[in-house]
Amino acid sequence: MSRTPATARLMDGSGLARRLVDETAARAADLTRRTGTQPCLATVLVGEDPASVTYVKMKRARCEKAGIRSRHLELPATTTTAELVAVLADLSGDPDVHGILLQHPVGPGIDERAAFEAIAPEKDVDGVTFSSFATMGFGLPGFVSCTPGGIMRLLDAYDVDPAGKRAVVVGRSAILGKPAGLMLLARNATVTYCHSYTADLSAAVREADILVAAVGRPRFIKGEDIKPGAVVIDAGYNPGNVGDVDFDTAATRASLITPVPGGVGPMTIAVLLSQTVDAAERQLA
Amino acid sequence: MSRTPATARLMDGSGLARRLVDETAARAADLTRRTGTQPCLATVLVGEDPASVTYVKMKRARCEKAGIRSRHLELPATTTTAELVAVLADLSGDPDVHGILLQHPVGPGIDERAAFEAIAPEKDVDGVTFSSFATMGFGLPGFVSCTPGGIMRLLDAYDVDPAGKRAVVVGRSAILGKPAGLMLLARNATVTYCHSYTADLSAAVREADILVAAVGRPRFIKGEDIKPGAVVIDAGYNPGNVGDVDFDTAATRASLITPVPGGVGPMTIAVLLSQTVDAAERQLA
């Protein structure tokens, strides 16, 4: 039996991210020229977790390429919550810093929430504070979590209007699934949240006009559950460059689908950079 | 043709609210005896909207009956956002006030969100701040919006465990539908938000093991759409004592259903009083 060919159009996150970064770099250059001040992102790393070290390094390199200054702080793994809060409060009050990124997870022994809440909302370019969560929830202006923000930009770039559509979000993490659902709701989708307790995941997925997979389990979403014509956003990124959706089968049914890699992934840093320049523009205005 | 008899058990919100208020009054009395300080709720009313005047009066009377002091501030309709923010910031800093209720809507010309955000989260016993919304969203300790908080207490009182069930919330207001969905999600329900843009409301309602109707339109939810055995929570309260659900037909299909009046309604003030004593207990500890 021959394999059914993919019919879905690929959503090119790499290309969209590149355009967003270019646009962001142009805004950063313009702002620097007009004000004499370069936008600055403070990156805070606690401990020496290899993945975190790599992520921060990557983010800083991307900042530099986009004309955004980064100020890097490395704190030992023995840092207390109070010490970390003090560092973040300092950065929040520092007029030379426009955005703050606390690389997380921060490791055991630190109250991550207390640390996040020490970030001033107007510098929360990573969208991790209560305030940012609430503005996402109410559809008010504010910074968004970067990955869901990237997902919404992908939908917009491919003219997918969520209004009135059934959107199903699989996963409910604080920085991905939960805000993604709220942002889709703010854009008038009928939103369903699924997760590990969901009794019949296949039934729920089959309803989705827009599916956001954000569970972090390789090929967890079966391709045959994809509704014909659905838009499939795969925010998973598992070992071996495998997403949360069984891509090969899903691509024979969906109308639009994000590849892994090259779909949602590249959007995250692009949104971080863009929001950093947004923050700088407001603070330097 | 004879009418099918109601089979659903009624969820007695009036009785549950009475027990919660009794329990709250006992806690208030105990706290007053132990600390010499009576719990105090500040109520702030802007303008003279008759419904708002009535609501505040009712809340204050209920406070008094429960042994909670209320401090009432009436501001003219011409109050500016800055003036209201200043009043709320004062109350937030006043050690004699343990909870703050800003009666809303505050009327045009005032930035309601700015006013809410002037309420200290630890005194936000009405659950209206960004911080309270986020703690509800993350399932963290904090004050909840009173009506959804009442809904969760009703579910608990009738041993309805939302985990793994499909919960459908119709309506997405900031103080009712949206937080109700987040609280059900935090209790591990598979949650669907429906609203005015939902394409096929009947289809979505038919999936609900737990239905929360919060639209404010009389008999908007058709009884024949209720899944047999479902738990029906009607948070609507429309002219003529009519809820958002077609009660007569729904009651022949549901396993549990809230009457209107006497279901969700009485729980709202009871939760407000209970949270006021919670706040006082923490602040006087």
Side-chain angles (χ1 to χ4, degrees):
Chain A
M1 208 166 75
S2 75
R3 188 155 134 202
T4 317
T7 56
R9 220 171 126 209
L10 289 182
M11 299 175 90
D12 177 16
S14 299
L16 182 62
R18 213 176 302 120
R19 289 196 295 283
L20 179 56
V21 171
D22 287 349
E23 199 185 287
T24 300
R27 286 199 291 137
D30 182 60
L31 187 66
T32 306
R33 191 167 44 237
R34 282 191 291 115
T35 64
T37 305
Q38 211 182 347
C40 173
L41 176 71
T43 56
V44 179
L45 176 66
V46 182
E48 290 165 356
D49 172 68
S52 293
V53 169
T54 304
Y55 281 132
V56 170
K57 196 176 288 181
M58 189 162 66
K59 288 168 186 173
R60 296 187 65 209
R62 298 292 295 279
C63 277
E64 200 180 342
K65 268 188 73 173
I68 296 168
R69 202 158 63 86
S70 75
R71 184 198 295 184
H72 186 53
L73 285 91
E74 276 179 25
L75 305 173
T78 54
T79 303
T80 66
T81 299
E83 288 164 347
L84 180 56
V85 162
V87 165
L88 292 164
D90 267 359
L91 293 170
S92 291
D94 185 335
D96 295 335
V97 168
H98 308 111
I100 300 171
L101 170 90
L102 171 62
Q103 184 65 39
H104 52 97
V106 288
I110 291 181
D111 178 347
E112 187 171 89
R113 179 46 55 191
F116 283 156
E117 293 308 307
I119 298 173
E122 67 272 17
K123 297 188 180 182
D124 179 26
V125 295
D126 202 26
V128 296
T129 58
F130 280 171
S131 177
S132 295
F133 181 78
T135 51
M136 283 185 273
F138 293 140
L140 294 172
F143 294 117
V144 299
S145 302
C146 294
T147 305
I151 289 170
M152 299 311 290
R153 284 172 181 270
L154 269 167
L155 292 176
D156 284 339
Y158 285 86
D159 293 321
V160 179
D161 179 2
K165 300 216 172 63
R166 292 208 63 159
V168 174
V169 179
V170 187
R172 51 172 169 168
S173 69
I175 58 160
L176 214 178
K178 219 168 269 183
L182 288 173
M183 292 172 81
L184 286 161
L185 182 60
R187 293 284 298 276
N188 301 319
T190 299
V191 172
T192 299
Y193 284 105
C194 298
H195 43 77
S196 55
Y197 284 78
T198 294
D200 188 346
L201 181 64
S202 288
V205 169
R206 276 186 227 120
E207 295 163 358
D209 300 310
I210 299 171
L211 178 75
V212 176
V215 268
R217 295 176 65 176
R219 297 194 190 90
F220 184 68
I221 308 287
K222 294 185 204 122
E224 59 262 35
D225 287 339
I226 302 300
K227 182 173 169 176
V231 175
V232 175
I233 305 286
D234 190 343
Y237 185 54
N238 306 294
N241 280 345
V242 173
D244 287 351
V245 178
D246 170 12
F247 182 88
D248 290 343
T249 308
T252 65
R253 302 172 65 86
S255 61
L256 286 164
I257 190 169
T258 56
V260 176
V264 172
M267 292 301 297
T268 302
I269 292 189
V271 171
L272 174 71
L273 301 181
S274 173
Q275 295 199 135
T276 300
V277 176
D278 291 342
E281 283 176 344
R282 276 169 225 162
Q283 289 162 52
L284 296 170
Chain B
M1 207 167 77
S2 74
R3 191 154 133 203
T4 318
T7 56
R9 219 172 126 210
L10 289 183
M11 299 176 88
D12 177 15
S14 299
L16 183 61
R18 213 176 303 119
R19 287 196 296 283
L20 179 56
V21 171
D22 287 348
E23 198 186 289
T24 300
R27 287 199 292 136
D30 181 60
L31 187 66
T32 306
R33 191 167 44 238
R34 282 190 292 114
T35 65
T37 305
Q38 210 183 347
C40 173
L41 175 70
T43 56
V44 179
L45 176 66
V46 182
E48 290 165 356
D49 173 69
S52 293
V53 169
T54 304
Y55 281 131
V56 170
K57 196 175 288 181
M58 189 161 67
K59 288 168 187 172
R60 297 187 65 208
R62 299 293 294 279
C63 277
E64 200 180 342
K65 269 188 72 173
I68 295 169
R69 200 159 63 87
S70 75
R71 184 196 295 183
H72 185 53
L73 285 91
E74 276 180 22
L75 305 174
T78 53
T79 302
T80 65
T81 300
E83 287 164 349
L84 181 57
V85 163
V87 164
L88 293 164
D90 267 0
L91 293 170
S92 291
D94 185 336
D96 295 334
V97 167
H98 308 111
I100 300 172
L101 170 89
L102 171 62
Q103 184 64 40
H104 52 96
V106 288
I110 291 181
D111 178 348
E112 187 171 89
R113 179 45 55 193
F116 284 157
E117 293 308 307
I119 299 172
E122 67 272 18
K123 298 190 180 182
D124 179 26
V125 294
D126 201 27
V128 296
T129 58
F130 280 171
S131 177
S132 294
F133 181 78
T135 50
M136 283 185 273
F138 294 140
L140 295 173
F143 294 117
V144 300
S145 303
C146 294
T147 305
I151 290 170
M152 299 311 290
R153 284 172 181 269
L154 270 167
L155 293 176
D156 284 340
Y158 286 85
D159 292 321
V160 179
D161 179 1
K165 300 217 172 61
R166 292 209 64 159
V168 174
V169 179
V170 187
R172 51 171 169 169
S173 69
I175 58 160
L176 214 177
K178 218 169 270 184
L182 288 173
M183 291 172 80
L184 286 161
L185 183 59
R187 293 284 299 277
N188 301 319
T190 299
V191 173
T192 299
Y193 283 105
C194 298
H195 44 76
S196 54
Y197 283 79
T198 295
D200 189 345
L201 180 63
S202 288
V205 169
R206 275 187 228 120
E207 295 164 358
D209 300 310
I210 299 171
L211 177 73
V212 176
V215 268
R217 294 176 66 176
R219 298 194 188 90
F220 184 68
I221 308 288
K222 294 185 204 120
E224 60 262 34
D225 287 339
I226 302 300
K227 181 174 171 175
V231 176
V232 175
I233 305 286
D234 190 342
Y237 185 54
N238 306 293
N241 280 345
V242 174
D244 286 351
V245 177
D246 170 13
F247 181 89
D248 290 343
T249 309
T252 64
R253 302 173 65 86
S255 61
L256 285 165
I257 189 168
T258 56
V260 176
V264 173
M267 293 301 297
T268 302
I269 292 190
V271 171
L272 175 71
L273 301 181
S274 172
Q275 295 199 135
T276 299
V277 177
D278 290 341
E281 283 175 345
R282 277 169 224 162
Q283 289 163 52
L284 295 170

